[in-house]
Amino acid sequence: MLQQFDSKKFAVKPAASIVLLFSLFIFLMVATGMITTFLFGKMTNVAAAYRISAVLQSVLVFITPALAVAMLTTRFPASLLAVDRLPSLKFTLTAIFTLVVSIPLMNIIINWNQNLTFPESMSGIVQTFKDLEAKSEDSINIMTSGNSAGILIVNIMIVGIFAGLGEELFFRGGLMRLLGGVKSIGTHKAIWISAIIFSVLHLQFFGFVPRMLLGVFFGYLLAWSGSLWLPILMHIINNSRSEERRVGKECRSRW
């Protein structure tokens, strides 16, 4: 199990660092939204605008706050983020095996979450969530449109590598590690809290449970291996697999 970051190494208390992390997150999210609005007003290639926006979001909204807070919090930012060590081959192979064999179970959970039913009194709220998810799905479809090898590589870079790296640096390397530094929380609570926030911020209610469980999986990978590079790798593989499956499905539909 990953050892807690030595409290003596913190220049700023973990709780204050978490507040700073989310303050930077909100500020840079608003700034990214303004830049994105400008891009869509200037660019005629909508898919390219979405791709640039996605990269900006990964870099500015997720990577930048995590790195900035880590450097302000301690003189050992790489150690705090757990990027100063590599996972062992045993942990890496075990993680890949677990991710692969869990696919059928995750598909069942995904299908269950997507088909949840609610009382008629909640129909307005449910419809709002459905509209948000439909809008998000439309944006993703536009961004990842195309089935050429070049487009697939670009999409894997954006959806897989940039998103996987950015989200893991923020939610596991930053948030989870800082939460773990709060004495009353500890590792296990930090894993679950960060996973819940990870899923909530995606604003996809009908995918909330599987994404939360995926966040828990990534959190325990960090805790067990002692290296953030393992959840980063698994996140990249998971996202890239989804994109490759989408392209394959699109190609088959054409034939």
Side-chain angles (χ1 to χ4, degrees):
M1 185 69 72
L2 180 62
Q3 293 183 348
Q4 300 291 355
F5 192 72
D6 187 353
S7 60
K8 295 180 180 178
K9 294 181 179 180
F10 279 110
V12 180
K13 290 184 178 181
S17 297
I18 292 170
V19 172
L20 177 60
L21 181 71
F22 277 103
S23 297
L24 286 172
F25 171 84
I26 294 170
F27 173 78
L28 290 171
M29 183 171 61
V30 172
T32 301
M34 294 172 64
I35 295 171
T36 298
T37 301
F38 175 80
L39 285 175
F40 279 97
K42 296 293 182 180
M43 297 181 66
T44 56
N45 188 329
V46 179
Y50 271 114
R51 292 183 183 114
I52 294 172
S53 174
V55 172
L56 287 174
Q57 177 175 291
S58 295
V59 174
L60 295 180
V61 179
F62 294 113
I63 296 176
T64 299
L67 294 180
V69 170
M71 288 187 287
L72 290 170
T73 297
T74 174
R75 292 184 293 109
F76 308 93
S79 180
L80 172 62
L81 296 172
V83 294
D84 59 340
R85 68 212 79 165
L86 294 174
S88 68
L89 180 61
K90 179 185 74 173
F91 275 119
T92 303
L93 293 177
T94 301
I96 293 173
F97 176 78
T98 304
L99 184 66
V100 172
V101 299
S102 67
I103 290 174
L105 177 59
M106 285 299 291
N107 287 338
I108 292 173
I109 296 172
I110 289 169
N111 184 65
W112 166 79
N113 199 166
Q114 288 177 340
N115 293 284
L116 283 175
T117 57
F118 296 88
E120 183 64 28
S121 59
M122 296 181 64
S123 59
I125 297 174
V126 171
Q127 189 58 49
T128 299
F129 280 120
K130 287 183 176 179
D131 291 342
L132 284 172
E133 293 196 23
K135 184 177 180 181
S136 176
E137 186 68 21
D138 289 342
S139 300
I140 293 173
N141 289 337
I142 294 171
M143 182 182 72
T144 59
S145 59
N147 56 11
S148 67
I151 292 296
L152 175 60
I153 291 172
V154 170
N155 288 341
I156 286 177
M157 287 287 293
I158 296 171
V159 177
I161 297 175
F162 274 105
L165 175 63
E167 291 181 6
E168 289 311 303
L169 273 171
F170 185 89
F171 290 104
R172 255 61 66 179
L175 179 60
M176 178 185 140
R177 292 283 276 160
L178 289 171
L179 284 168
V182 178
K183 292 182 179 180
S184 61
I185 294 179
T187 300
H188 295 288
K189 290 181 181 178
I191 289 171
W192 282 90
I193 292 171
S194 59
I196 291 170
I197 296 174
F198 165 68
S199 192
V200 166
L201 290 181
H202 276 79
L203 299 177
Q204 294 179 328
F205 178 79
F206 291 96
F208 175 83
V209 174
R211 184 171 285 106
M212 178 193 69
L213 294 177
L214 199 61
V216 169
F217 174 60
F218 294 150
Y220 277 108
L221 287 181
L222 170 56
W224 286 330
S225 70
S227 173
L228 186 66
W229 294 112
L230 186 55
I232 287 174
L233 176 62
M234 293 302 103
H235 200 143
I236 289 173
I237 290 174
N238 182 73
N239 286 11
S240 300
R241 181 180 60 85
S242 299
E243 174 56 21
E244 185 180 14
R245 189 170 63 246
R246 182 200 65 80
V247 172
K249 182 178 180 181
E250 185 174 329
C251 289
R252 286 191 298 273
S253 67
R254 288 173 178 266
W255 289 99

